[in-house]
Amino acid sequence: MTLAVNLARSERYAAVPHLRIAPVPPAAPRTQPVTLIEILRAAQPGAVRQRLTRGQRIFGDGDSTDQVYQLVSGTVRLCRHTPGGRRHILDFVVVGELFGLIEHSEHTMTAEAVGDVTIVSYSRSRLDRSSAGDCVVRRRVLSAVSDSLLTAQQQLLILGCQDAKEKMASFFLRLAGRIGLTSGNRLALPMGRQDIADHLGLTIETVCRTIRALQRAQVIDVPNSHELALTDMRALRALAIEE
Amino acid sequence: MTLAVNLARSERYAAVPHLRIAPVPPAAPRTQPVTLIEILRAAQPGAVRQRLTRGQRIFGDGDSTDQVYQLVSGTVRLCRHTPGGRRHILDFVVVGELFGLIEHSEHTMTAEAVGDVTIVSYSRSRLDRSSAGDCVVRRRVLSAVSDSLLTAQQQLLILGCQDAKEKMASFFLRLAGRIGLTSGNRLALPMGRQDIADHLGLTIETVCRTIRALQRAQVIDVPNSHELALTDMRALRALAIEE
DNA sequence: CGACTTATTGATGTCCGTCAATACGGGTGG
DNA sequence: CCACCCGTATTGACGGACATCAATAAGTCG
């Protein structure tokens, strides 16, 4: 039984792409670009490719939303900061996903490279212009924003109802659903412990201790701090589902 | 200094309508309906008006999303339930707002009447059909969904970073921004304590105790359990802003 | 190799959850 | 109109999960 099968079993915990496009009806003729990314690529073949190093900011609070990005390599975090200096990580962006797509003139979040990162930027205004005579694009944008909304609502449930162990299990499973597992159910953790903590409303110490507890309970294994082995998927799912 | 002025000062805590339309550019000729609600009213004049009593369900998890609703009177809560029986209230809907608008074929939440409620239902498919030749409608839908996304992200910050007192202050201020205050900075609380608890990731006891603490600190006054007086707006704002 | 960041672990405190008892309030029926 | 009843709200006592503070270990990059 593969991981993909297992994850598919529990619809709520299956991969919920951040800003990726919902599956296209198979009937659709594929002569035309269909997903948002394909549309962007087709319309803006000379889009800017950019390399960023660990911690660099891609856009910030108040910046204009005239660019849409696709993550080519690495991982990006989407943060909100408070006047008092607290930070919350709304979500991580993994390879292949779009981000920075929003229907307001200014960003209300910050996007930063977690490690080294490659991105491609597309012009939002060009995307909108192309949509003037083309409602398909707008439909795709709507679909992408809608997916983000569902993701955010699922995360609300996690933050509001789950304890530390359950939060960590949910986080690992969602990440696995997005970036996949390698042999032996290995899961890469590109982000640091502090990032995980700020995403789940915990402290870095609690994240460490919870990982340790799951390890002792034989639910996961921790070969090194940036890699996990999801040893007992059944137990993980039980933790995550009992939200 | 009126409340409206005060609230407007702090952009993050100004009214963030749940599914209401962003302000329209003043230049737009008003001969045509402009907001989603106006569009719905114009296109579907004979829409069904419906009266519901306390606790009744409007739609539930898995129901088809073929209806869009506007709340005419009362308050509605939007919940997610977990297999283990926990409940999270994603948001409340207040008078005038749209709800049930989502870009997927099935609902992933439940909508229930908090007290007695009047709603108007519109056909989603008719809305979509009207949008086939009319990108304006799709733009409005996108705008509405986008606003919901921002609201959800703000709520993520609150759940992830704030303690009980701060959560309550944020909640009161947002509610005030949406339904308004009557004389003496009075705020109506249509929902029960348990609802507030399930919205903020607290228990009913903590909600009670926190209200009591804010009262003792002269920040609010509590004439009765379904009404508040926001005595010290400055203190409330300080609590909410220092997320 | 050495300085610095990140991760881990322990000791202690505290906020909030849990359990339990009481008060309130509003609706019903006598 | 009052008494009763049931759901909601409130308050207290207590415990536990997680935060905080602090020290050490393990990476990481120059």
Side-chain angles (χ1 to χ4, degrees), chain A residues 80 82-84 86 88 103-104 108-109 135 139 142 146-147 150 153-154 157 161 166 201 241-243, chain B residues 80 82-84 86 88 103-104 108-109 135 138 142 146-147 150 153-154 157 160-161 166 241-243:
Chain A
R80 277 199 167 202
T82 73
R86 301 177 207 169
H88 182 75
E103 203 54 24
H104 296 84
T108 56
M109 62 175 80
C135 258
R139 191 185 308 255
L142 177 53
S146 248
D147 284 346
L150 284 198
Q153 289 176 342
Q154 180 62 27
L157 189 70
C161 297
E166 293 165 343
I241 281 176
E242 181 50 50
E243 290 158 348
Chain B
R80 277 199 168 203
T82 74
R86 298 176 208 171
H88 182 74
E103 205 52 26
H104 296 84
T108 56
M109 61 176 82
C135 259
R138 197 164 286 283
L142 177 52
S146 246
D147 285 346
L150 285 199
Q153 289 176 343
Q154 179 63 26
L157 188 71
C161 296
E166 294 165 342
I241 281 177
E242 181 49 50
E243 290 155 352

Side-chain angles (χ1 to χ4, degrees), chain A residues 12 18 61 80-88 90 101-104 108-109 124 131-132 134-135 138-139 141-143 145-150 152-157 159-163 166 198 200-202 241-243, chain B residues 12 18 61 80-88 90 101-104 108-109 124 131-132 134-135 138-139 141-143 145-150 152-157 159-163 166 198 200-202 241-243:
Chain A
R12 307 177 77 99
H18 175 60
D61 210 322
R80 277 199 167 202
H81 295 270
T82 73
R86 301 177 207 169
R87 181 181 75 155
H88 182 75
L90 295 168
L101 178 61
I102 191 180
E103 203 54 24
H104 296 84
T108 56
M109 62 175 80
R124 178 62 208 267
S131 78
D134 181 8
C135 258
R138 196 163 289 282
R139 191 185 308 255
V141 171
L142 177 53
S143 189
V145 173
S146 248
D147 284 346
S148 292
L149 177 59
L150 284 198
Q153 289 176 342
Q154 180 62 27
Q155 192 67 15
L156 278 176
L157 189 70
L159 288 188
C161 297
Q162 298 199 153
D163 66 19
E166 293 165 343
D198 288 347
L200 298 177
L202 301 171
I241 281 176
E242 181 50 50
E243 290 158 348
Chain B
R12 305 176 78 98
H18 174 62
D61 211 322
R80 277 199 168 203
H81 295 269
T82 74
R86 298 176 208 171
R87 182 182 74 155
H88 182 74
L90 296 167
L101 179 61
I102 193 182
E103 205 52 26
H104 296 84
T108 56
M109 61 176 82
R124 178 61 208 269
S131 79
D134 180 8
C135 259
R138 197 164 286 283
R139 190 186 307 254
V141 171
L142 177 52
S143 189
V145 174
S146 246
D147 285 346
S148 291
L149 177 59
L150 285 199
Q153 289 176 343
Q154 179 63 26
Q155 193 66 17
L156 278 176
L157 188 71
L159 289 188
C161 296
Q162 298 200 152
D163 66 19
E166 294 165 342
D198 288 347
L200 297 176
L202 301 171
I241 281 177
E242 181 49 50
E243 290 155 352

Side-chain angles (χ1 to χ4, degrees), chain B residues 175-186:
Chain B
L175 201 57
R178 296 206 289 171
I179 66 181
L181 298 181
T182 57
S183 72
N185 281 2
R186 287 287 183 93

Side-chain angles (χ1 to χ4, degrees), chain B residues 110-206:
Chain B
T110 303
E112 296 168 343
V114 167
D116 290 353
V117 145
T118 314
I119 59 177
V120 180
S121 349
Y122 299 97
S123 155
R124 178 61 208 269
S125 61
R126 271 218 264 172
L127 174 65
D128 284 338
R129 252 178 286 141
S130 81
S131 79
D134 180 8
C135 259
V136 170
V137 171
R138 197 164 286 283
R139 190 186 307 254
R140 296 281 165 247
V141 171
L142 177 52
S143 189
V145 174
S146 246
D147 285 346
S148 291
L149 177 59
L150 285 199
T151 301
Q153 289 176 343
Q154 179 63 26
Q155 193 66 17
L156 278 176
L157 188 71
I158 290 171
L159 289 188
C161 296
Q162 298 200 152
D163 66 19
K165 227 181 274 194
E166 294 165 342
K167 284 175 177 176
M168 297 289 293
S170 299
F171 174 67
F172 293 150
L173 286 177
R174 189 162 96 89
L175 201 57
R178 296 206 289 171
I179 66 181
L181 298 181
T182 57
S183 72
N185 281 2
R186 287 287 183 93
L187 173 66
L189 287 182
M191 68 291 292
R193 299 289 190 262
Q194 185 66 60
D195 285 343
I196 298 176
D198 288 347
H199 179 50
L200 297 176
L202 301 171
T203 61
I204 187 174
E205 295 93 333
T206 298

Side-chain angles (χ1 to χ4, degrees), chain A residues 208-240:
Chain A
C208 281
R209 273 189 266 262
T210 305
I211 288 177
R212 198 80 171 86
L214 290 173
Q215 187 182 14
R216 275 198 239 275
Q218 317 262 339
V219 176
I220 62 176
D221 199 20
V222 189
N224 64 70
S225 69
H226 284 282
E227 207 170 355
L228 290 184
L230 306 189
T231 313
D232 188 346
M233 293 292 288
R234 194 169 305 275
L236 269 184
R237 247 174 274 124
L239 276 172

Side-chain angles (χ1 to χ4, degrees), chain A residues 156-204:
Chain A
L156 278 176
L157 189 70
I158 291 171
L159 288 188
C161 297
Q162 298 199 153
D163 66 19
K165 226 181 276 192
E166 293 165 343
K167 284 175 177 177
M168 298 288 294
S170 300
F171 174 68
F172 294 151
L173 287 178
R174 189 162 95 88
L175 201 57
R178 296 208 288 171
I179 68 182
L181 298 181
T182 58
S183 73
N185 281 4
R186 288 287 183 97
L187 173 66
L189 285 183
M191 67 292 293
R193 300 288 190 260
Q194 184 65 59
D195 285 343
I196 298 176
D198 288 347
H199 179 51
L200 298 177
L202 301 171
T203 62
I204 186 174

